Amino acid sequence: MALRNILIHPDPRLKKVADPIASVTDDLRRLADDMLETMYHAPGIGLAAPQVAVMDRMLVMDCAKEEDATPEPMVLINPQIVWTSEDRSVYDEGCLSIPDQYAEVERPAEVEVEWMGLDGKTTRARFDGLWATCVQHEMDHLDGKLFIDYLKPLKRQMITRKMQKLKREMARG
Ligand code: NI
């Protein structure tokens, strides 16, 4: 396993729609392992392939975040939302591609998602709480959408400017 470099907003690759995955290959399994390691190392609770510059429709997540919780790593390939609750919930979201910036985003409180697993089989499950927020946030990444796209333009621009400054500082080393 290896850590992958996480793209920082603004980056054109974070705005692209990712491609459907045709089949589970060794490369894809390696990518899933690397993404989980990169996510845990960050640390974070979710990571989508475009965030590590791979334009494929795959995401990883683990929202079992209490310190003594048993890890529950999940890998979702070609995920699709098949049902959303009318109930909505607000969560203070962050993103590994927008470090140290948080803002409240409202989304459906529960979603049912269908996806292909690393075993090539189709699975369907219902998510609520933090898992529901996380899976929707990560699926947005597959469509080139970031959580700041839900914010008012002024707030979004403020965050983008901070990230541009951060990237300049990182480039200087
Ligand atoms: Ni994110």
Side-chain angles (χ1 to χ4, degrees), residues 10 14 29 52 64 85 117 122 138 146:
L14 294 172
R29 270 187 277 269
V52 294
S85 65
T122 301
E138 299 312 328
L146 303 171

Side-chain angles (χ1 to χ4, degrees), residues 46-48 51 93-98 137-138 141 145-147:
L47 187 67
Q51 291 181 275
E93 294 190 22
C95 179
L96 293 177
S97 293
I98 311 173
H137 173 121
E138 299 312 328
H141 277 300
K145 190 164 186 180
L146 303 171
F147 82 91

Side-chain angles (χ1 to χ4, degrees), residues 91-107:
Y91 195 86
D92 203 27
E93 294 190 22
C95 179
L96 293 177
S97 293
I98 311 173
D100 299 322
Q101 302 299 317
Y102 300 90
E104 289 191 337
V105 177
E106 187 187 298
R107 300 178 187 271

